[in-house]
Amino acid sequence: MMKISRRNMMQMMGAAAFAGPLASATRAFAGRAKELNILCWEGYNSAEVLDPFRSSHAANVKAESLTNDPTMINRLRAGETKIWDLINVNNPWARKVMAPAGLIKPLPRAEFEPYFDTMLPDFKAPYRWAMSDNGEDLLGMAQRFGPYSFVVNTDKVSKTTAEEQGWDLFNDTALAGRYGIQESDDWNVFNIFLIAGINPFKEHTEEEFKAFSETAEKVFKGARMVGDMASLNQALVSGEIDLYMTGGTYSVSPARADGYPNLRAITPLTGPIDGKGGISWIEITSTVNNPDLSPLAIEFLKYVQDPEVAHTVAFAEGTFNPVSQMGNPKCFELFTKDELEAIQWDSLEEDMARSAEYDIVPDYDKALELMTAARRLRG
Amino acid sequence: MAVTIHEEAIHGRSAAALPAIPAGLRAAGPVIVLLLLGFLAPLLTVAAYAFATPKSFDVFRSFTFANFSAIFDTSNTVWMSFAWSLAFALATVALLAVIAYPIAYGLNRMFGKWSGFIGVLFVFPLFVSENVRLYGWVLFFIKNGVLDGGLKWLGFSGGPEVLYTPGAILFGMLYVYLPFMLFPMSLGIAMIPRDLVDAARDLGASRLMIWREIELPLAMPGILIGMLLTFVLGAGAIAESKILGGQSVITIAQDIEVAFTYAQNWPLGSALALLLVAIVSGLALYVLAKLDLDRILGKR
C-alpha cells in the first residue's frame, strides 16, 4: 500500500501544476480536432456542402461567407489567422499576397497534386495560381471558376453584337440609362479600365488615370442603377435595364436556371489585356497559417474534390458555376442538360480562352479613389 | 472607554475589509464592466484606428492626422456623401414629424378600441428584415411589377418611373423609420392630461390655441426623442440608397463601408465614422440645447 508522505505529496502537487496547462492544451487540441472554421465565398457555407462533412466527422464546422476578396484578406491581416482554418478567395491573392505575408501555409504536394490530374486540362499540375511564385509550394486547391465581364438580355442586345462591340457598349450614349452596374468595386475598377481601352493589370500613367477617371464619371452617370446581382437580374428580367457590367456565369446563372436563357454572360472577342476581351476568376482554397490549425482543414479540402461534392459545390445556393473537377467524367456525368445550360457550358471554353485571368491592379488604391469620386457625381 | 475601543475596532475592521465603494456601485460593477467592454471599447478602437497610419493595421502603435487631412483635402468629394446623408436624415425627420403626428394623435385620442390593432399594424413590419421589406417595394415599383403591371393590366400606359432615384431613397427612409418616430411621439401625446385640455376648452381656448399652448409643449419630450432617434438612424442609413435608390446617390455609410472593404483602409473608414458620430451628436446636442427642454417641459 502506498504511503503518502509530505515529500511525495509535494511531488504530486508539482506534477499537477505542470500537467494542468498541458491538460488544457490537450483539451484545446481535442477541440480543434473536431472543429473547422472556413472563410469563403458563398456556396461553401451551404448546408448541402457542409452537413455531410459535419456528420461524417462529428465536427463543428462554421463557414462565414463574404462578398469580396479584399475584406477576407483584411480579416486575416487584422489577426484572425488564429480563428480560420481555410480561406477561399480568387486566384492571385494566395500567390501574390497571402503567401508572401505569411497568412497561409503550403499543402503537402504529394497528397494533393494527383487531384489536379483529374481536373479540366487547364488546371493540370503544377497549376500556376495554386503554386507559390518560385513554383515550389502548393498554396491551395482550385475548384470553381468562370468568365466575368458583362451580362446582356439577348432579346435587346444580341450575343454577336455584344461580343463584337464588347466594352464599347458602355461608351455608347444610346445605351445610357439602359444599363446597370454591380456593386463589386474591385471588378468595376477592372472594367472601367477596359471600357477606357486600358489594360488594368499594369502600372498606369497620369494620362491613363485621367482617361480612367473620365470614363468612370461617364459610365456611372449613364447607369440606370448600381446594385447587387439579384437586383440586376431582376431589373434585366423586368426590362428596367438591357445589360449590366461586372457579371458572368457566376451572376447570371441563377436567372438562367430560373427560366431566362435569354439572359447571357458575354465575353468580348478582343480587348486591351494582350488582346483578351474579358476577365475570368478561379477560386483557390488555402489552409490558413493558424498556429493551431484544425486537422480537418486538410480533410475538408480532400472532401470537396469528390465528384459528387464538387457537383454540389457547383450548384450550391446563390450562384451556379463550373468547377475544375468537370474534367473528371464521374463528376461531369452528374451535370444535367439544364444545369449545363445554366452555366453556359456551350461557350465556356471559348469564353475562358478570350479572358485574361483575374490579377491584382498594382495601383488599385488610386483607381478606386477616382472611381469612388466619380460615383458620387451620380447624385 | 470600553465602548469607544469597541467602535474603533469595528470601524477599523470594516474599513480594512471593504474600501469606501458604495454597495450600489459594487452591485452594478459587472454591468459597468460589460458596458465598458461591449459599448465603449469598440468605440475607442474605432477612434484609435482613426488616428492610425492610412491603409495599415497599426492601431495603438502609430498616431497621425493623415486620415483627417485626406478627408478635408479640397480635392476630396466625400463632403457630398456627408451632405446627402444629413439632408436625407433632416428631410426624413421633418416629413415624419408631419406624417406621424396625426397617426400618434389618432392612436391616443381617436381610434378608440381600434388603436391597439392599428398600433400592431405599425409594429408588425419591424418583425420583418428591413432588406426584405425594401426588396418588396422594389418588386412593387419595378417596371412590369405590381404597380406598373397592374396599371397596364387596367388599360393605363403604365406606372411612373420611381425606382433608382433620390425620391425612392427618401420614400424608403420614411417607410422604414416611421415606427421610430411614431411610438415615442405617441408616448409624448399620451402624457397630455385630458383635464388640462378640457379646462382650456371650458375657458374658451380655440382648438389651435389648445394644440399650440398645451398639447404640443406637453408632447414635446416624446416628439423630440422620436426626432432624435430618426435623425441618428437616418444619418447612418445605407440599405435604402442601395436597394431602392440604385445608388443614385452615395451616402456616407456607404463610403465607410467601401473604406472598410474594397479599399482595405480601416483607418480612413474609422476617421469617416468618427466624423459622422461627431457631426450627428454635435447637431443633436446643439438642437437640444437650443430647444430649452426645461421650458418645453414647463418646469420654468
Side-chain angles (χ1 to χ4, degrees):
Chain A
M1 190 176 155
M2 185 182 161
K3 282 187 183 173
I4 298 175
S5 66
R6 182 171 169 271
R7 181 181 166 80
N8 61 22
M9 175 63 101
M10 291 300 282
Q11 280 173 340
M12 282 162 68
M13 284 171 70
F18 182 70
L22 280 184
S24 63
T26 315
R27 274 200 304 280
F29 182 74
R32 294 297 289 148
K34 290 287 171 195
E35 175 188 307
L36 178 67
N37 295 327
I38 310 170
L39 191 58
C40 54
W41 278 87
E42 97 303 318
Y44 288 96
N45 61 340
S46 84
E48 279 175 275
V49 177
L50 296 181
D51 280 352
F53 187 80
R54 282 183 181 125
S55 48
S56 66
H57 289 77
N60 181 16
V61 183
K62 284 183 207 153
E64 186 175 336
S65 153
L66 297 176
T67 53
N68 66 78
D69 299 312
T71 304
M72 286 193 253
I73 313 288
N74 256 357
R75 301 277 292 265
L76 297 192
R77 279 184 175 148
E80 291 191 12
T81 44
K82 294 185 197 81
I83 296 172
W84 305 105
D85 299 297
L86 288 172
I87 181 162
N88 162 252
V89 285
N90 283 312
N91 44 307
W93 296 94
R95 176 191 175 103
K96 293 191 170 179
V97 176
M98 292 195 293
L103 299 172
I104 53 172
K105 342 182 158 184
L107 294 170
R109 280 182 77 165
E111 265 182 73
F112 281 97
E113 279 197 343
Y115 289 110
F116 284 89
D117 294 335
T118 63
M119 293 182 188
L120 288 165
D122 286 351
F123 294 88
K124 293 291 177 213
Y127 176 58
R128 186 167 84 100
W129 290 113
M131 303 303 294
S132 61
D133 248 353
N134 60 11
E136 281 177 10
D137 295 324
L138 178 64
L139 299 177
M141 295 299 290
Q143 191 150 51
R144 299 188 294 191
F145 69 97
Y148 211 52
S149 295
F150 59 86
V151 169
V152 301
N153 178 348
T154 51
D155 294 343
K156 302 287 178 68
V157 182
S158 78
K159 178 175 178 276
T160 315
T161 307
E163 285 176 337
E164 283 171 0
Q165 289 200 27
W167 295 105
D168 256 345
L169 282 174
F170 296 90
N171 285 318
D172 184 353
T173 48
L175 281 173
R178 303 295 315 148
Y179 62 86
I181 299 176
Q182 197 190 150
E183 49 173 340
S184 175
D185 283 0
D186 41 359
W187 282 87
N188 288 339
V189 164
F190 306 164
N191 294 351
I192 299 282
F193 272 121
L194 291 171
I195 296 167
I198 301 164
N199 179 350
F201 306 125
K202 67 174 196 79
E203 293 275 356
H204 298 98
T205 62
E206 279 307 311
E207 213 165 275
E208 285 172 330
F209 271 125
K210 193 165 170 282
F212 174 89
S213 186
E214 286 166 4
T215 307
E217 276 178 35
K218 185 181 64 189
V219 169
F220 274 96
K221 274 223 156 138
R224 171 94 177 101
M225 64 183 291
V226 180
D228 57 78
M229 61 187 189
S231 306
L232 289 162
N233 285 337
Q234 182 66 50
L236 267 185
V237 168
S238 71
E240 284 275 359
I241 56 172
D242 297 339
L243 68 162
Y244 67 80
M245 74 171 207
T246 297
T249 321
Y250 177 85
S251 67
V252 76
S253 51
R256 288 176 62 82
D258 266 356
Y260 297 98
N262 54 325
L263 310 186
R264 192 169 178 96
I266 297 291
T267 310
L269 291 175
T270 57
I273 315 172
D274 303 326
K276 304 230 176 189
I279 300 173
S280 62
W281 55 275
I282 304 105
E283 280 177 4
I284 301 289
T285 311
S286 307
T287 45
V288 174
N289 192 8
N290 187 328
D292 190 17
L293 184 75
S294 165
L296 292 180
I298 296 282
E299 291 305 308
F300 188 82
L301 277 181
K302 289 178 183 168
Y303 161 77
V304 291
Q305 297 299 320
D306 177 85
E308 292 223 359
V309 182
H311 173 255
T312 309
V313 167
F315 282 85
E317 65 195 50
T319 64
F320 309 142
N321 302 284
V323 285
S324 58
Q325 288 77 14
M326 289 174 88
N328 178 353
K330 280 184 191 161
C331 180
F332 189 82
E333 282 162 11
L334 299 170
F335 284 77
T336 64
K337 188 173 163 285
D338 286 346
E339 287 174 345
L340 292 173
E341 175 72 25
I343 60 171
Q344 295 185 203
W345 180 254
D346 58 332
S347 64
L348 183 67
E349 201 176 334
E350 62 192 63
D351 283 335
M352 288 301 285
R354 282 183 219 154
S355 300
E357 287 158 337
Y358 176 145
D359 209 335
I360 289 171
V361 177
D363 33 27
Y364 169 77
D365 291 345
K366 186 171 179 187
L368 181 66
E369 264 173 39
L370 292 173
M371 195 181 78
T372 308
R375 203 166 52 165
R376 282 194 202 106
L377 300 177
R378 266 167 68 68
Chain B
M1 181 69 179
V3 171
T4 314
I5 291 167
H6 182 66
E7 276 180 358
E8 274 175 8
I10 290 170
H11 289 153
R13 192 165 62 236
S14 63
L18 295 168
I21 302 172
L25 197 61
R26 283 203 303 276
V31 177
I32 291 173
V33 171
L34 186 73
L35 286 175
L36 287 176
L37 286 177
F39 291 92
L40 208 57
L43 278 177
L44 285 176
T45 312
V46 168
Y49 258 112
F51 297 99
T53 310
K55 292 170 188 164
S56 78
F57 294 94
D58 288 342
V59 66
F60 300 118
R61 282 175 299 188
S62 64
F63 185 88
T64 172
F65 289 103
N67 300 303
F68 292 97
S69 55
I71 294 168
F72 288 110
D73 190 301
T74 47
S75 65
N76 196 332
T77 52
V78 74
W79 64 268
M80 291 172 78
S81 306
F82 275 108
W84 273 113
S85 283
L86 294 177
F88 274 128
L90 287 171
T92 305
V93 168
L95 288 169
L96 277 184
V98 177
I99 295 167
Y101 191 87
I103 305 170
Y105 192 87
L107 284 173
N108 278 286
R109 300 288 167 89
M110 310 288 287
F111 300 152
K113 63 177 181 176
W114 293 101
S115 62
F117 173 71
I118 293 168
V120 168
L121 285 184
F122 283 102
V123 176
F124 188 72
L126 294 176
F127 296 128
V128 182
S129 149
E130 182 183 331
N131 281 5
V132 172
R133 283 182 282 146
L134 292 175
Y135 277 115
W137 279 114
V138 170
L139 293 178
F140 183 82
F141 284 125
I142 203 166
K143 202 168 183 179
N144 298 317
V146 178
L147 180 66
D148 184 59
L151 286 171
K152 279 177 184 163
W153 185 75
L154 290 170
F156 295 97
S157 61
E161 289 209 350
V162 179
L163 277 182
Y164 315 132
T165 58
I169 300 173
L170 188 59
F171 169 80
M173 289 175 70
L174 293 176
Y175 165 72
V176 168
Y177 299 126
L178 176 64
F180 298 94
M181 178 69 92
L182 181 64
F183 291 106
M185 197 178 253
S186 181
L187 283 175
I189 291 174
M191 285 164 61
I192 306 166
R194 195 162 283 209
D195 296 351
L196 216 57
V197 176
D198 291 342
R201 192 175 292 131
D202 290 347
L203 290 169
S206 69
R207 188 71 201 87
L208 184 65
M209 188 179 273
I210 293 172
W211 179 75
R212 202 182 60 215
E213 299 292 330
I214 297 170
E215 290 181 338
L216 195 60
L218 289 178
M220 198 47 92
I223 296 172
L224 275 181
I225 291 167
M227 286 176 139
L228 202 61
L229 205 58
T230 315
F231 178 70
V232 172
L233 290 170
I238 184 167
E240 296 78 9
S241 80
K242 277 189 162 188
I243 298 170
L244 281 175
Q247 297 184 28
S248 48
V249 297
I250 305 297
T251 59
I252 189 61
Q254 195 173 339
D255 270 322
I256 294 170
E257 188 184 277
V258 168
F260 273 100
T261 54
Y262 294 105
Q264 300 188 70
N265 197 348
W266 291 18
L268 179 68
S270 301
L272 288 171
L274 204 62
L275 217 54
L276 182 64
V277 170
I279 292 173
V280 169
S281 51
L283 267 175
L285 290 174
Y286 176 79
V287 171
L288 283 179
K290 281 277 165 198
L291 281 174
D292 194 353
L293 266 181
D294 279 344
R295 197 180 63 79
I296 290 167
L297 293 171
K299 287 182 186 166
R300 256 190 284 153

